[in-house]
Amino acid sequence: VDGNEFPGIKTKGQFAELINDIVLTGERRELSNGKTYYWKDGIIVIRNPDAANGGTVFRPNEGYEFFLRGTVK
């Protein structure tokens, strides 16, 4: 929310709504490493059950290719 990576998102509640929308309506890929990737409108949500925070959300520089490749550097 603080990094202005997501224009129009000003509160944690709005950010949670954005994530929920991507998970419910975005394209989904389940990877063999237990992670699930969701893609919508240039944003990726990565659900990682092994991470303390549950995963991450960002706009990958590589765009949709990042989603298709399914790897986090």
Side-chain angles (χ1 to χ4, degrees):
V1 174
D2 297 331
N4 296 320
E5 186 175 0
F6 307 98
I9 303 297
K10 303 292 183 201
T11 68
K12 289 182 181 181
Q14 289 173 329
F15 191 54
E17 288 176 20
L18 173 69
I19 294 167
N20 191 51
D21 178 61
I22 294 168
V23 168
L24 292 176
T25 65
E27 189 174 342
R28 175 185 171 139
R29 291 190 64 219
E30 291 189 37
L31 289 104
S32 60
N33 62 6
K35 295 177 184 174
T36 305
Y37 282 31
Y38 303 89
W39 173 266
K40 184 174 180 183
D41 299 331
I43 301 171
I44 192 164
V45 174
I46 300 175
R47 170 78 175 99
N48 181 354
D50 295 329
N53 64 3
T56 189
V57 181
F58 60 99
R59 291 183 183 275
N61 292 332
E62 301 91 345
Y64 190 68
E65 291 300 318
F66 182 95
F67 173 76
L68 293 176
R69 193 171 62 244
T71 58
V72 177
K73 296 179 183 176

